mmCIF file with all atom_site columns, all heavy atoms in Angstrom:
data_model
loop_
_atom_site.group_PDB
_atom_site.id
_atom_site.type_symbol
_atom_site.label_atom_id
_atom_site.label_alt_id
_atom_site.label_comp_id
_atom_site.label_asym_id
_atom_site.label_entity_id
_atom_site.label_seq_id
_atom_site.pdbx_PDB_ins_code
_atom_site.Cartn_x
_atom_site.Cartn_y
_atom_site.Cartn_z
_atom_site.occupancy
_atom_site.B_iso_or_equiv
_atom_site.pdbx_formal_charge
_atom_site.auth_seq_id
_atom_site.auth_comp_id
_atom_site.auth_asym_id
_atom_site.auth_atom_id
_atom_site.pdbx_PDB_model_num
ATOM 1   N N   . SER A 1 27 ? 44.312 55.513 9.221  1.00 45.00 ? 1257 SER A N   1
ATOM 2   C CA  . SER A 1 27 ? 43.012 56.069 8.857  1.00 45.00 ? 1257 SER A CA  1
ATOM 3   C C   . SER A 1 27 ? 42.855 56.012 7.357  1.00 45.00 ? 1257 SER A C   1
ATOM 4   O O   . SER A 1 27 ? 43.806 56.255 6.614  1.00 45.00 ? 1257 SER A O   1
ATOM 5   C CB  . SER A 1 27 ? 42.905 57.506 9.314  1.00 45.00 ? 1257 SER A CB  1
ATOM 6   O OG  . SER A 1 27 ? 42.877 57.538 10.713 1.00 45.00 ? 1257 SER A OG  1
ATOM 7   N N   . GLY A 1 28 ? 41.646 55.708 6.918  1.00 47.00 ? 1258 GLY A N   1
ATOM 8   C CA  . GLY A 1 28 ? 41.289 55.726 5.521  1.00 47.00 ? 1258 GLY A CA  1
ATOM 9   C C   . GLY A 1 28 ? 40.271 56.829 5.291  1.00 47.00 ? 1258 GLY A C   1
ATOM 10  O O   . GLY A 1 28 ? 40.000 57.649 6.145  1.00 47.00 ? 1258 GLY A O   1
ATOM 11  N N   . PRO A 1 29 ? 39.706 56.876 4.097  1.00 48.00 ? 1259 PRO A N   1
ATOM 12  C CA  . PRO A 1 29 ? 38.773 57.934 3.772  1.00 48.00 ? 1259 PRO A CA  1
ATOM 13  C C   . PRO A 1 29 ? 37.493 57.931 4.567  1.00 48.00 ? 1259 PRO A C   1
ATOM 14  O O   . PRO A 1 29 ? 36.849 58.926 4.702  1.00 48.00 ? 1259 PRO A O   1
ATOM 15  C CB  . PRO A 1 29 ? 38.500 57.729 2.291  1.00 48.00 ? 1259 PRO A CB  1
ATOM 16  C CG  . PRO A 1 29 ? 38.757 56.278 2.089  1.00 48.00 ? 1259 PRO A CG  1
ATOM 17  C CD  . PRO A 1 29 ? 39.839 55.916 3.047  1.00 48.00 ? 1259 PRO A CD  1
ATOM 18  N N   . THR A 1 30 ? 37.113 56.781 5.089  1.00 47.00 ? 1260 THR A N   1
ATOM 19  C CA  . THR A 1 30 ? 35.850 56.726 5.817  1.00 47.00 ? 1260 THR A CA  1
ATOM 20  C C   . THR A 1 30 ? 36.055 56.422 7.284  1.00 47.00 ? 1260 THR A C   1
ATOM 21  O O   . THR A 1 30 ? 35.097 56.134 7.973  1.00 47.00 ? 1260 THR A O   1
ATOM 22  C CB  . THR A 1 30 ? 34.931 55.648 5.208  1.00 47.00 ? 1260 THR A CB  1
ATOM 23  O OG1 . THR A 1 30 ? 35.620 54.407 5.224  1.00 47.00 ? 1260 THR A OG1 1
ATOM 24  C CG2 . THR A 1 30 ? 34.536 56.028 3.791  1.00 47.00 ? 1260 THR A CG2 1
ATOM 25  N N   . GLY A 1 31 ? 37.255 56.506 7.801  1.00 48.00 ? 1261 GLY A N   1
ATOM 26  C CA  . GLY A 1 31 ? 37.471 56.273 9.207  1.00 48.00 ? 1261 GLY A CA  1
ATOM 27  C C   . GLY A 1 31 ? 38.654 55.364 9.421  1.00 48.00 ? 1261 GLY A C   1
ATOM 28  O O   . GLY A 1 31 ? 39.429 55.090 8.519  1.00 48.00 ? 1261 GLY A O   1
ATOM 29  N N   . PRO A 1 32 ? 38.822 54.879 10.645 1.00 43.00 ? 1262 PRO A N   1
ATOM 30  C CA  . PRO A 1 32 ? 39.995 54.085 10.945 1.00 43.00 ? 1262 PRO A CA  1
ATOM 31  C C   . PRO A 1 32 ? 39.946 52.738 10.253 1.00 43.00 ? 1262 PRO A C   1
ATOM 32  O O   . PRO A 1 32 ? 38.908 52.095 10.171 1.00 43.00 ? 1262 PRO A O   1
ATOM 33  C CB  . PRO A 1 32 ? 39.936 53.911 12.472 1.00 43.00 ? 1262 PRO A CB  1
ATOM 34  C CG  . PRO A 1 32 ? 38.557 54.270 12.888 1.00 43.00 ? 1262 PRO A CG  1
ATOM 35  C CD  . PRO A 1 32 ? 37.980 55.114 11.804 1.00 43.00 ? 1262 PRO A CD  1
ATOM 36  N N   . LEU A 1 33 ? 41.093 52.356 9.666  1.00 42.00 ? 1263 LEU A N   1
ATOM 37  C CA  . LEU A 1 33 ? 41.222 51.044 9.062  1.00 42.00 ? 1263 LEU A CA  1
ATOM 38  C C   . LEU A 1 33 ? 41.626 50.021 10.119 1.00 42.00 ? 1263 LEU A C   1
ATOM 39  O O   . LEU A 1 33 ? 41.176 48.898 10.121 1.00 42.00 ? 1263 LEU A O   1
ATOM 40  C CB  . LEU A 1 33 ? 42.288 51.072 7.963  1.00 42.00 ? 1263 LEU A CB  1
ATOM 41  C CG  . LEU A 1 33 ? 41.975 51.971 6.767  1.00 42.00 ? 1263 LEU A CG  1
ATOM 42  C CD1 . LEU A 1 33 ? 43.168 52.013 5.847  1.00 42.00 ? 1263 LEU A CD1 1
ATOM 43  C CD2 . LEU A 1 33 ? 40.750 51.493 6.043  1.00 42.00 ? 1263 LEU A CD2 1
ATOM 44  N N   . VAL A 1 34 ? 42.511 50.440 11.033 1.00 39.00 ? 1264 VAL A N   1
ATOM 45  C CA  . VAL A 1 34 ? 42.933 49.604 12.118 1.00 39.00 ? 1264 VAL A CA  1
ATOM 46  C C   . VAL A 1 34 ? 42.893 50.443 13.380 1.00 39.00 ? 1264 VAL A C   1
ATOM 47  O O   . VAL A 1 34 ? 43.368 51.553 13.403 1.00 39.00 ? 1264 VAL A O   1
ATOM 48  C CB  . VAL A 1 34 ? 44.402 49.114 11.895 1.00 39.00 ? 1264 VAL A CB  1
ATOM 49  C CG1 . VAL A 1 34 ? 44.865 48.334 13.071 1.00 39.00 ? 1264 VAL A CG1 1
ATOM 50  C CG2 . VAL A 1 34 ? 44.506 48.289 10.641 1.00 39.00 ? 1264 VAL A CG2 1
ATOM 51  N N   . SER A 1 35 ? 42.297 49.945 14.411 1.00 36.00 ? 1265 SER A N   1
ATOM 52  C CA  . SER A 1 35 ? 42.227 50.715 15.640 1.00 36.00 ? 1265 SER A CA  1
ATOM 53  C C   . SER A 1 35 ? 43.064 50.017 16.681 1.00 36.00 ? 1265 SER A C   1
ATOM 54  O O   . SER A 1 35 ? 42.884 48.866 17.002 1.00 36.00 ? 1265 SER A O   1
ATOM 55  C CB  . SER A 1 35 ? 40.769 50.795 16.109 1.00 36.00 ? 1265 SER A CB  1
ATOM 56  O OG  . SER A 1 35 ? 40.733 51.462 17.346 1.00 36.00 ? 1265 SER A OG  1
ATOM 57  N N   . ALA A 1 36 ? 44.004 50.789 17.233 1.00 39.00 ? 1266 ALA A N   1
ATOM 58  C CA  . ALA A 1 36 ? 44.831 50.259 18.292 1.00 39.00 ? 1266 ALA A CA  1
ATOM 59  C C   . ALA A 1 36 ? 44.450 50.882 19.608 1.00 39.00 ? 1266 ALA A C   1
ATOM 60  O O   . ALA A 1 36 ? 45.197 50.847 20.567 1.00 39.00 ? 1266 ALA A O   1
ATOM 61  C CB  . ALA A 1 36 ? 46.309 50.534 17.964 1.00 39.00 ? 1266 ALA A CB  1
ATOM 62  N N   . THR A 1 37 ? 43.306 51.541 19.615 1.00 41.00 ? 1267 THR A N   1
ATOM 63  C CA  . THR A 1 37 ? 42.885 52.227 20.838 1.00 41.00 ? 1267 THR A CA  1
ATOM 64  C C   . THR A 1 37 ? 41.917 51.371 21.614 1.00 41.00 ? 1267 THR A C   1
ATOM 65  O O   . THR A 1 37 ? 41.297 50.491 21.112 1.00 41.00 ? 1267 THR A O   1
ATOM 66  C CB  . THR A 1 37 ? 42.223 53.575 20.493 1.00 41.00 ? 1267 THR A CB  1
ATOM 67  O OG1 . THR A 1 37 ? 41.068 53.308 19.707 1.00 41.00 ? 1267 THR A OG1 1
ATOM 68  C CG2 . THR A 1 37 ? 43.168 54.495 19.782 1.00 41.00 ? 1267 THR A CG2 1
ATOM 69  N N   . GLY A 1 38 ? 41.800 51.690 22.824 1.00 41.00 ? 1268 GLY A N   1
ATOM 70  C CA  . GLY A 1 38 ? 40.901 50.987 23.727 1.00 41.00 ? 1268 GLY A CA  1
ATOM 71  C C   . GLY A 1 38 ? 41.149 51.507 25.103 1.00 41.00 ? 1268 GLY A C   1
ATOM 72  O O   . GLY A 1 38 ? 41.927 52.432 25.321 1.00 41.00 ? 1268 GLY A O   1
ATOM 73  N N   . PRO A 1 39 ? 40.537 50.916 26.111 1.00 43.00 ? 1269 PRO A N   1
ATOM 74  C CA  . PRO A 1 39 ? 40.775 51.379 27.470 1.00 43.00 ? 1269 PRO A CA  1
ATOM 75  C C   . PRO A 1 39 ? 42.262 51.265 27.815 1.00 43.00 ? 1269 PRO A C   1
ATOM 76  O O   . PRO A 1 39 ? 42.876 50.237 27.573 1.00 43.00 ? 1269 PRO A O   1
ATOM 77  C CB  . PRO A 1 39 ? 39.949 50.444 28.355 1.00 43.00 ? 1269 PRO A CB  1
ATOM 78  C CG  . PRO A 1 39 ? 38.883 49.913 27.440 1.00 43.00 ? 1269 PRO A CG  1
ATOM 79  C CD  . PRO A 1 39 ? 39.508 49.878 26.066 1.00 43.00 ? 1269 PRO A CD  1
ATOM 80  N N   . GLY A 1 40 ? 42.810 52.352 28.307 1.00 44.00 ? 1270 GLY A N   1
ATOM 81  C CA  . GLY A 1 40 ? 44.216 52.336 28.700 1.00 44.00 ? 1270 GLY A CA  1
ATOM 82  C C   . GLY A 1 40 ? 45.167 52.659 27.571 1.00 44.00 ? 1270 GLY A C   1
ATOM 83  O O   . GLY A 1 40 ? 46.348 52.554 27.729 1.00 44.00 ? 1270 GLY A O   1
ATOM 84  N N   . THR A 1 41 ? 44.659 53.062 26.388 1.00 42.00 ? 1271 THR A N   1
ATOM 85  C CA  . THR A 1 41 ? 45.530 53.464 25.296 1.00 42.00 ? 1271 THR A CA  1
ATOM 86  C C   . THR A 1 41 ? 45.089 54.810 24.787 1.00 42.00 ? 1271 THR A C   1
ATOM 87  O O   . THR A 1 41 ? 43.951 55.213 24.961 1.00 42.00 ? 1271 THR A O   1
ATOM 88  C CB  . THR A 1 41 ? 45.510 52.452 24.122 1.00 42.00 ? 1271 THR A CB  1
ATOM 89  O OG1 . THR A 1 41 ? 44.180 52.402 23.612 1.00 42.00 ? 1271 THR A OG1 1
ATOM 90  C CG2 . THR A 1 41 ? 45.961 51.082 24.535 1.00 42.00 ? 1271 THR A CG2 1
ATOM 91  N N   . THR A 1 42 ? 46.005 55.527 24.130 1.00 44.00 ? 1272 THR A N   1
ATOM 92  C CA  . THR A 1 42 ? 45.689 56.799 23.511 1.00 44.00 ? 1272 THR A CA  1
ATOM 93  C C   . THR A 1 42 ? 45.535 56.549 22.027 1.00 44.00 ? 1272 THR A C   1
ATOM 94  O O   . THR A 1 42 ? 45.757 55.460 21.538 1.00 44.00 ? 1272 THR A O   1
ATOM 95  C CB  . THR A 1 42 ? 46.772 57.836 23.782 1.00 44.00 ? 1272 THR A CB  1
ATOM 96  O OG1 . THR A 1 42 ? 47.978 57.384 23.181 1.00 44.00 ? 1272 THR A OG1 1
ATOM 97  C CG2 . THR A 1 42 ? 46.957 58.085 25.264 1.00 44.00 ? 1272 THR A CG2 1
ATOM 98  N N   . GLY A 1 43 ? 45.185 57.609 21.253 1.00 44.00 ? 1273 GLY A N   1
ATOM 99  C CA  . GLY A 1 43 ? 44.967 57.466 19.817 1.00 44.00 ? 1273 GLY A CA  1
ATOM 100 C C   . GLY A 1 43 ? 46.191 56.955 19.076 1.00 44.00 ? 1273 GLY A C   1
ATOM 101 O O   . GLY A 1 43 ? 46.094 56.379 18.018 1.00 44.00 ? 1273 GLY A O   1
ATOM 102 N N   . SER A 1 44 ? 47.396 57.181 19.601 1.00 43.00 ? 1274 SER A N   1
ATOM 103 C CA  . SER A 1 44 ? 48.591 56.717 18.908 1.00 43.00 ? 1274 SER A CA  1
ATOM 104 C C   . SER A 1 44 ? 48.915 55.285 19.272 1.00 43.00 ? 1274 SER A C   1
ATOM 105 O O   . SER A 1 44 ? 49.862 54.715 18.761 1.00 43.00 ? 1274 SER A O   1
ATOM 106 C CB  . SER A 1 44 ? 49.779 57.614 19.225 1.00 43.00 ? 1274 SER A CB  1
ATOM 107 O OG  . SER A 1 44 ? 50.078 57.497 20.628 1.00 43.00 ? 1274 SER A OG  1
ATOM 108 N N   . GLY A 1 45 ? 48.165 54.685 20.160 1.00 44.00 ? 1275 GLY A N   1
ATOM 109 C CA  . GLY A 1 45 ? 48.412 53.274 20.511 1.00 44.00 ? 1275 GLY A CA  1
ATOM 110 C C   . GLY A 1 45 ? 49.352 53.133 21.689 1.00 44.00 ? 1275 GLY A C   1
ATOM 111 O O   . GLY A 1 45 ? 49.651 52.019 22.105 1.00 44.00 ? 1275 GLY A O   1
ATOM 112 N N   . THR A 1 46 ? 49.842 54.227 22.225 1.00 43.00 ? 1276 THR A N   1
ATOM 113 C CA  . THR A 1 46 ? 50.756 54.123 23.362 1.00 43.00 ? 1276 THR A CA  1
ATOM 114 C C   . THR A 1 46 ? 49.972 54.115 24.646 1.00 43.00 ? 1276 THR A C   1
ATOM 115 O O   . THR A 1 46 ? 48.848 54.592 24.710 1.00 43.00 ? 1276 THR A O   1
ATOM 116 C CB  . THR A 1 46 ? 51.741 55.325 23.362 1.00 43.00 ? 1276 THR A CB  1
ATOM 117 O OG1 . THR A 1 46 ? 50.993 56.514 23.443 1.00 43.00 ? 1276 THR A OG1 1
ATOM 118 C CG2 . THR A 1 46 ? 52.620 55.294 22.127 1.00 43.00 ? 1276 THR A CG2 1
ATOM 119 N N   . ALA A 1 47 ? 50.582 53.560 25.679 1.00 45.00 ? 1277 ALA A N   1
ATOM 120 C CA  . ALA A 1 47 ? 49.884 53.449 26.944 1.00 45.00 ? 1277 ALA A CA  1
ATOM 121 C C   . ALA A 1 47 ? 49.616 54.829 27.506 1.00 45.00 ? 1277 ALA A C   1
ATOM 122 O O   . ALA A 1 47 ? 50.448 55.731 27.432 1.00 45.00 ? 1277 ALA A O   1
ATOM 123 C CB  . ALA A 1 47 ? 50.678 52.619 27.934 1.00 45.00 ? 1277 ALA A CB  1
ATOM 124 N N   . GLY A 1 48 ? 48.461 55.046 28.048 1.00 44.00 ? 1278 GLY A N   1
ATOM 125 C CA  . GLY A 1 48 ? 48.086 56.313 28.633 1.00 44.00 ? 1278 GLY A CA  1
ATOM 126 C C   . GLY A 1 48 ? 47.058 56.070 29.709 1.00 44.00 ? 1278 GLY A C   1
ATOM 127 O O   . GLY A 1 48 ? 46.743 54.942 30.039 1.00 44.00 ? 1278 GLY A O   1
ATOM 128 N N   . PRO A 1 49 ? 46.496 57.137 30.240 1.00 45.00 ? 1279 PRO A N   1
ATOM 129 C CA  . PRO A 1 49 ? 45.502 56.961 31.304 1.00 45.00 ? 1279 PRO A CA  1
ATOM 130 C C   . PRO A 1 49 ? 44.247 56.338 30.732 1.00 45.00 ? 1279 PRO A C   1
ATOM 131 O O   . PRO A 1 49 ? 43.910 56.562 29.577 1.00 45.00 ? 1279 PRO A O   1
ATOM 132 C CB  . PRO A 1 49 ? 45.251 58.389 31.794 1.00 45.00 ? 1279 PRO A CB  1
ATOM 133 C CG  . PRO A 1 49 ? 45.642 59.274 30.638 1.00 45.00 ? 1279 PRO A CG  1
ATOM 134 C CD  . PRO A 1 49 ? 46.738 58.534 29.940 1.00 45.00 ? 1279 PRO A CD  1
#
Side-chain angles (χ1 to χ4, degrees):
S1257 294
T1260 57
L1263 297 174
V1264 176
S1265 177
T1267 61
T1271 61
T1272 63
S1274 65
T1276 58

